[in-house]
Amino acid sequence: MYWAIRSAADLKTRPCGFGTHTEGNLLFTAGQDKTVRCWGLDSGRWIKILSAPSEILTLTCIGRRLFAGLDNNTVRVWDIDSWNCIETLSGHRGSVFALAASRDKNLFFTGS
């Protein structure tokens, strides 16, 4: 476990998911407050907050995309260059708890 963030109180709510983007030196945390916080690993401070329509259960970052599994049976996809939500993936019959990509990043898997 590695903690560079100055205070766990900065998280505001119990974190439900984590994702990293090592190329950009970013950490993403998701809480019960339906937000994703983007932290700068150099500063230990959050630099952006993204909102979702329901609780975020899991996160993963693949390339320049951030994927969030939600408890409303969808996956939200953000572009981390523009911070825009670029797609919402639907089709699950339950909350999305698992996200993964193939090694070559050509396939994306979700699980509920």
Side-chain angles (χ1 to χ4, degrees):
M1 183 182 307
Y2 176 76
W3 287 95
I5 298 170
R6 305 208 190 321
S7 167
D10 288 340
L11 296 175
K12 304 297 183 211
T13 63
R14 179 180 61 87
C16 300
F18 294 92
T20 59
H21 185 265
T22 54
E23 182 182 312
N25 209 18
L26 303 173
L27 171 71
F28 299 95
T29 61
Q32 294 173 318
D33 62 353
K34 303 177 187 176
T35 65
V36 174
R37 284 180 171 23
C38 174
W39 301 82
L41 292 179
D42 294 330
S43 68
R45 297 284 179 207
W46 56 267
I47 57 175
K48 188 70 177 175
I49 297 178
L50 306 171
S51 296
S54 65
E55 186 176 338
I56 301 161
L57 305 174
T58 185
L59 291 171
T60 193
C61 196
I62 302 166
R64 306 299 297 172
R65 302 286 186 258
L66 175 66
F67 297 83
L70 306 180
D71 73 350
N72 71 351
N73 311 347
T74 65
V75 174
R76 205 112 204 235
V77 185
W78 286 278
D79 176 283
I80 62 172
D81 292 319
S82 67
W83 300 113
N84 291 323
C85 178
I86 57 172
E87 193 164 0
T88 300
L89 308 174
S90 59
H92 280 275
R93 292 185 179 173
S95 299
V96 180
F97 289 100
L99 303 170
S102 62
R103 182 172 288 171
D104 63 6
K105 300 179 183 166
N106 287 326
L107 296 173
F108 179 64
F109 308 94
T110 62
S112 59

